[in-house]
Amino acid sequence: MASRRAVVTGASSGIGAATVRLLRSRGWDVLAVARREQKLRALAEETGATYLVTDVTDADAVAALADHVRGSGGVDVLVNNAGGALGSASVEESDVEDWRTMFEVNVIGTKRVTAALLPVLRSTARANGHADVVTVTSTAGHVAYENGGGYNAAKFAEHALVGALRLELNGEPIRVVEIAPGLVKTDEFALTRFRGDEAKAAAVYDNVPEPLVAEDVAEAIVHAVELPAHVNLDLVTVRPVAQSAQHKLARGPLTPRD
């Protein structure tokens, strides 16, 4: 039986890179997609994945991605993971350009890649009986919080995109899965959000017992796409035990009450 093939965006670091590694370890053929060629090349050398440098905010680059995928074997699973947060300021004081960038990557990028690859996914579904679209959103797209308005708005929109897509594809054998992580400690997410301020980035995870790591989210993604084809995980919310809700985070050891 031929191995299944996945396209993973935002694959140069964090959840995307962890997903590439786990899929490859499970025998998948993987095309890793991101903007940073050096990191993609290193990941490909490590895992045996192939890669294509692509900016999901560039329409021509995404069209070239679709042509490449179509001409190199098609795709069974699209993992929309490219995204991120910029800034931590109030709605009043935050930078409109940060909002614009977050919408371009998280929302428009996801729409653009999904629309470009859906015809290829349909070809796979026609031949093999099913295909998958997995989108990594965030719990920030379900519950708003102070000083996160721009990221909240982008992720709420991405969540809505996924919901609409699932309804639109009803009747086709294409699963639409949303993975919504809570607090995940990665090398770059908080550092990017706080524009390289290492102290602010570290404070997000300070004294949090066992925050999620990228590999935890990758496990959820791979589990979803390896389930029997008739089983769809519409929405998977993944949090560390220390985070009961967006606004409820334990710091310090987790201990049973007396």
Side-chain angles (χ1 to χ4, degrees):
M1 179 179 173
S3 63
R4 296 176 72 195
R5 190 187 197 199
V7 172
V8 181
T9 70
S12 60
S13 64
I15 293 168
T19 301
V20 171
R21 291 187 181 99
L22 184 56
L23 286 168
R24 287 294 300 144
S25 75
R26 302 292 288 267
W28 286 68
D29 180 13
V30 182
L31 175 64
V33 174
R35 293 173 301 164
R36 295 178 292 181
E37 184 170 10
Q38 186 173 353
K39 285 183 173 288
L40 283 177
R41 187 186 305 116
L43 182 65
E45 291 172 355
E46 173 196 341
T47 63
T50 57
Y51 73 89
L52 187 68
V53 177
T54 305
D55 182 347
V56 301
T57 69
D58 183 321
D60 291 339
V62 173
L65 168 65
D67 288 342
H68 176 84
V69 172
R70 188 179 293 107
S72 61
V75 60
D76 296 85
V77 173
L78 167 62
V79 180
N80 287 309
N81 173 70
L86 286 175
S88 180
S90 68
V91 171
E92 179 182 10
E93 296 179 351
S94 53
D95 188 335
V96 167
E97 290 308 312
D98 286 348
W99 286 54
R100 195 184 312 279
T101 298
M102 286 187 280
F103 268 80
E104 282 289 340
V105 178
N106 292 282
V107 186
I108 305 303
T110 296
K111 179 266 186 286
R112 185 175 277 131
V113 174
T114 301
L117 290 186
L118 263 175
V120 194
L121 288 161
R122 283 197 176 99
S123 295
T124 298
R126 209 169 281 119
N128 299 338
H130 64 97
D132 299 325
V133 179
V134 180
T135 301
V136 181
T137 62
S138 171
T139 55
H142 298 260
V143 179
Y145 54 87
E146 293 169 291
N147 300 319
Y151 187 56
N152 288 145
K155 286 299 186 182
F156 266 83
E158 190 178 31
H159 167 63
L161 180 160
V162 173
L165 179 69
R166 188 179 299 111
L167 295 172
E168 292 160 1
L169 296 184
N170 181 253
E172 300 188 56
I174 300 175
R175 297 185 293 194
V176 177
V177 179
E178 178 181 354
I179 307 290
L183 186 69
V184 185
K185 186 175 184 180
T186 64
D187 291 338
E188 296 188 3
F189 180 84
L191 200 60
T192 299
R193 183 169 206 169
F194 296 115
R195 306 183 196 284
D197 188 322
E198 294 183 2
K200 282 187 177 180
V204 173
Y205 314 105
D206 185 42
N207 207 26
V208 176
E210 295 188 272
L212 296 182
V213 293
E215 289 74 15
D216 298 323
V217 183
E219 287 280 358
I221 294 167
V222 175
H223 173 68
V225 300
E226 290 189 339
L227 285 169
H230 69 286
V231 180
N232 191 68
L233 300 185
D234 283 12
L235 170 62
V236 181
T237 302
V238 189
R239 301 185 195 269
V241 174
Q243 187 182 36
S244 300
Q246 203 71 357
H247 62 282
K248 187 73 171 179
L249 180 64
R251 296 185 187 269
L254 301 180
T255 56
R257 292 192 180 95
D258 293 332

